[in-house]
Amino acid sequence: MAGIDFNQLCADILEETAIELKREIEDAQVVPKNTGELELSHHILHPEKNRSEISTSKNYARRLYMHPEYDFNQGDNANAKGQWFEDWEAGGKYENRASEIFIQKFKQKTGG
């Protein structure tokens, strides 16, 4: 792997991992959806060098997220709920998914 900037490679893979996780969350249809604006507003942040976050700029998102007891319309997103990221967080059923995606992409890019 001579000549490869390892830090840049990992940063690129981290970005790709976040994009794929965002897509998986959308495909899981867990984000409450009325007009689709909330789901479309999800974007990737890089607050630290070795970390990415999926976030939203919608000011009403926190209220929806923090109240899973709301009766969410599931017409457009069949699994719509509050705390829609929880399955991908520590303790969730997909808690290791980010690591799995990162490792898979790393192996693809390095031939290992």
Side-chain angles (χ1 to χ4, degrees):
M1 291 187 44
I4 293 178
D5 181 343
F6 185 75
N7 289 332
Q8 186 60 53
L9 174 66
C10 289
D12 292 346
I13 295 171
L14 183 61
E15 173 86 14
E16 292 173 20
T17 299
I19 290 168
E20 189 162 329
L21 279 175
K22 181 179 175 287
R23 190 175 310 120
E24 285 187 12
I25 291 166
E26 290 169 0
D27 290 347
Q29 298 184 338
V30 293
V31 180
K33 189 172 187 176
N34 185 11
T35 64
E37 221 174 295
L38 177 61
E39 194 171 54
L40 291 172
S41 75
H42 285 112
H43 55 275
I44 298 165
L45 301 174
H46 304 287
E48 298 175 21
K49 185 177 181 180
N50 298 318
R51 180 178 168 183
S52 289
E53 294 179 2
I54 300 172
S55 185
T56 181
S57 57
K58 297 298 176 192
N59 56 6
Y60 60 87
R62 179 180 299 275
R63 179 176 38 87
L64 294 178
Y65 191 83
M66 299 308 292
H67 290 281
E69 73 275 6
Y70 286 172
D71 184 22
F72 292 102
N73 178 347
Q74 295 180 325
D76 290 318
N77 274 352
N79 304 308
K81 61 182 183 174
Q83 300 176 343
W84 51 89
F85 291 127
E86 73 178 354
D87 289 337
W88 289 267
E89 295 174 343
K93 59 184 170 182
Y94 306 119
E95 71 177 320
N96 296 320
R97 190 65 184 127
S99 297
E100 292 167 358
I101 294 169
F102 187 92
I103 291 167
Q104 175 189 23
K105 290 184 176 299
F106 184 85
K107 287 180 178 179
Q108 288 172 347
K109 291 187 182 281
T110 61

